[in-house]
Amino acid sequence: MSNTETQPAVQRCGASPEGAAAPRVEVLTPRDVPLGGPRAMTVRRTLPQRARSLIGAWCFADHYGPDDVSVSGGMDVAPHPHTGLQTVSWLFSGEIEHRDSLGSHAYVRPGELNLMTGGHGISHSEVSTGRTTILHGVQLWVALPEAHRHTDRDFQHYVPGPIALPGDRAAGNQAAGDGAAGDGAVEGGPVGEVRVFLGSLAGDTSPVPTFSPLLGAEIILEPHATVCLAIDTSFEHGVLVDRGEVRMADTLLSPAELGYLAPGNGTLELTNTTDSTARLVLLGGTPFGEQIVMWWNFIGRSHEDIAQAREDWMTGSRFGEVTGYDGDRLPAPELPNAPLKPRGAAR
């Protein structure tokens, strides 16, 4: 499935009509989570959380770094399983070696998409390479809809090119809150760029197919720049700030925060309020419409789905073998005593 834009790539938002409220942005703050067993690195997890489980089919967002691997030790995640989901790896700096039970041996590098489909079951390992000095990026998951939850395992690699973003800059290097577009701003050439790794944005479309309508993109904004993007009104959107402070509509987001915007908006205004370059990841998709049960590395629809996946991993069936990793695979934790409950409102 491809996502086709029906609106111009970039628009000028301008002022809201008198009396009209600005789009409401919900701010999600991350929590620190150790990742990967005894040699764990710490990540900032924004999805899922109690306030919100999904944005479209995006159900998991880990943001990590910049970490000096000579101090942190880098990433070393032993072979582990996935089912019912896709993993999306996106780096800002560093390099990660990927091996999976499909036989894929690939490298995750900055600006390059690695998308792995777990489907009925896959296992993989992730290790930062000796060429890595600073490790910095995001790890994202996409829930597969019920019709495709048991699809075949797959792996895809795609390198999106940068697309220039026209917009406005605050005149006189003013703070963006005082010099937003239409108020002390000057129009000019490109004020940033976007790399679209899934879906469509700013006139560019990723060729990577998805199982539900999705958007995934990295956006760079110059100091005190404002851009207004045409977005799909049927999508809900999330903006995860990596660096800088970014105003999403009328809401200021700090680094590692994620701003959520509900469906019904045809434009998205983003302003870098700082004196340095800002970077963010934009996620979007139609509301998922299905409840999921997510535990450890599995996504199912019931406690029984998860229990069966755990048993299959521990008995060595269903998920295949990862070759080439120096070490043992990760054992699954014990299931909780209480039955696992579905999350995400069916719509």
Side-chain angles (χ1 to χ4, degrees), residues 128-319:
S128 53
T129 69
R131 293 183 288 270
T132 298
T133 302
I134 302 296
L135 187 62
H136 189 189
V138 292
Q139 181 69 45
L140 310 164
W141 292 359
V142 175
L144 291 173
E146 178 63 26
H148 302 285
R149 186 159 61 92
H150 298 288
T151 192
D152 292 338
R153 60 185 68 151
D154 190 29
F155 180 83
Q156 295 192 52
H157 178 82
Y158 171 60
V159 183
I163 303 298
L165 291 176
D168 302 307
R169 295 177 181 84
N173 209 27
Q174 299 167 353
D178 298 322
D183 181 12
V186 292
E187 296 185 55
V191 297
E193 65 182 29
V194 59
R195 285 178 167 83
V196 182
F197 50 85
L198 288 176
S200 296
L201 185 72
D204 191 35
T205 297
S206 166
V208 179
T210 59
F211 291 94
S212 59
L214 285 177
L215 169 63
E218 175 188 302
I219 296 176
I220 303 291
L221 285 178
E222 295 179 2
H224 302 295
T226 295
V227 66
C228 189
L229 298 166
I231 56 175
D232 192 320
T233 57
S234 68
F235 278 27
E236 49 189 0
H237 290 85
V239 169
L240 175 61
V241 178
D242 172 57
R243 68 183 185 206
E245 290 193 335
V246 174
R247 192 177 302 280
M248 178 185 185
D250 278 352
T251 300
L252 189 64
L253 302 175
S254 298
E257 290 183 335
L258 188 151
Y260 168 81
L261 187 65
N265 296 281
T267 58
L268 175 62
E269 184 175 76
L270 300 168
T271 299
N272 176 8
T273 68
T274 68
D275 293 329
S276 57
T277 301
R279 177 166 54 204
L280 57 95
V281 175
L282 175 61
L283 306 175
T286 54
F288 192 59
E290 299 178 23
Q291 290 190 315
I292 64 173
V293 177
M294 184 162 65
W295 178 84
W296 197 42
N297 299 309
F298 307 133
I299 292 182
R301 297 299 185 273
S302 68
H303 177 93
E304 291 71 26
D305 286 344
I306 302 301
Q308 186 62 58
R310 183 189 183 279
E311 180 180 349
D312 290 346
W313 174 246
M314 296 302 288
T315 57
S317 62
R318 178 175 173 179
F319 295 97

